[in-house]
Amino acid sequence: MNIHNQLLFFLSALGVFNSLVLGFYFLFLKRNKVVSDLFLGLLLLSLSTRIGKSIFYNFNPQLSKTYLQIGLSACVLIGPLLYFFVKSILQKLNYSFAKYSLIFIVIAVAVFGFLFPYKDNSEVWRGIIYYSINIQWFIFIVLSIYEARQIFRKLVTNRHQISYEETWILSIICGVFAIWLSYSLSRYTSYISGALTFSFSFYISFMMIYYAKNKTLNPVSNKEKYINKIDEKLVKEIQEKINILFETRKIYTNPDLTLSILAKELNIRPQLLSQLINDNLNKSFTQFINEYRIDEAKRLLIESPQLKIDAVGFESGFNSSSTFYSSFRKITGTTPSNYQKHNFYS
């Protein structure tokens, strides 16, 4: 193997190795696992199996037909696992349905593979089965995008309000789509392009997630930090104006509310309001507003039980279900449905 091929093998295999490690981490090692971790771990393992097959086949065309069959079979799981991962993050998942759907898919693929093994039906596998798998994969990508449509809309209109959890969704969907596209176009480019795309998508995705996490942990930028805090008397005056405004008009339920809009309503400079929230209250503007929104959501959950949980989030001012669920859990320590169940009759 010459240097060019060695470098190509290293770059393409690097993503697969790290994906395998991360997949096992989410499945077996991560503490306080949630349902989305299970689907993400399985998704990473399925992708690693599919991409790994491509790498070894590219550098060893005599690869066992059994391994080729395993690699293609893993593709059948990628789409559903992506879809269930997105729905689990958005708190829209029917876990029983997802579990039995995956069990059915695994059994169906295993039975089909046993009855029609690749080694005896290679033309069928390389033809109609390969294209059917790619179509199924694409359909689930579209379904995942549809479920996350509000997040994609926010990416265009309100990028700075994208939450950490939403960054996960965007990164994983875009990464899986890029891999699917690479394989779909591989006949016009190179078969190894899918593996290379996976490596680059893997690292770009986790760089985005790492950045989003740091942004969440450090919401106040250097420009928003001030040396001196506002006088406590002025703080009380502004807070009183905020309380009156929020009680009478509830403008925090406006999902497009910004610091500038609120400052204009209070008839104060945005810089002064930012300083008050960041330095005196030690919060970001989003945290500050979301606390009021969660209080409103708690009220609606008890006083308007006929509303669906998602509707409560939208009525409270959240522009996506995922942001509502993550904010509610972060502030209250429980989910909206659990809060409603334990407080409705109290």
Side-chain angles (χ1 to χ4, degrees), residues 37-54:
D37 294 329
L38 172 65
F39 292 114
L40 181 57
L42 291 172
L43 175 61
L44 289 171
L45 292 183
S46 298
L47 283 167
S48 299
T49 303
R50 172 65 178 95
I51 308 300
K53 186 272 292 185
S54 300

Side-chain angles (χ1 to χ4, degrees), residues 86-216:
V86 171
K87 294 203 71 169
S88 63
I89 289 281
L90 296 175
Q91 301 285 334
K92 295 181 179 180
L93 180 72
N94 182 328
Y95 180 73
S96 295
F97 173 77
K99 180 176 70 173
Y100 289 115
S101 295
L102 290 174
I103 291 173
F104 172 79
I105 292 172
V106 170
I107 293 175
V109 169
V111 171
F112 183 87
F114 178 77
L115 296 176
F116 304 97
Y118 189 103
K119 62 180 180 179
D120 299 328
N121 303 273
S122 58
E123 292 300 322
V124 177
W125 277 85
R126 288 200 299 263
I128 188 171
I129 294 177
Y130 175 79
Y131 291 111
S132 298
I133 290 172
N134 276 351
I135 291 171
Q136 179 249 27
W137 187 352
F138 178 71
I139 289 172
F140 276 102
I141 290 175
V142 173
L143 290 174
S144 300
I145 293 173
Y146 177 78
E147 290 293 337
R149 61 193 181 280
Q150 293 173 350
I151 303 174
F152 281 94
R153 191 178 298 123
K154 189 189 296 186
L155 182 64
V156 177
T157 60
N158 246 333
R159 188 181 308 170
H160 64 282
Q161 290 189 0
I162 293 177
S163 68
Y164 175 60
E165 291 81 6
E166 290 170 339
T167 303
W168 272 96
I169 292 176
L170 290 173
S171 301
I172 300 300
I173 290 178
C174 291
V176 171
F177 174 72
I179 295 165
W180 174 86
L181 189 63
S182 294
Y183 276 112
S184 299
L185 300 176
S186 61
R187 62 168 56 188
Y188 306 107
T189 55
S190 170
Y191 187 69
I192 199 65
S193 62
L196 291 172
T197 301
F198 176 64
S199 291
F200 287 115
S201 298
F202 180 86
Y203 288 107
I204 290 173
S205 295
F206 280 92
M207 283 174 62
M208 290 173 59
I209 292 166
Y210 178 77
Y211 171 78
K213 184 176 183 179
N214 283 347
K215 186 178 178 182
T216 302

Side-chain angles (χ1 to χ4, degrees), residues 304-322:
S304 303
Q306 74 280 4
L307 287 176
K308 292 184 177 180
I309 300 296
D310 286 351
V312 169
F314 292 125
E315 289 289 329
S316 304
F318 292 95
N319 56 10
S320 76
S321 299
S322 59

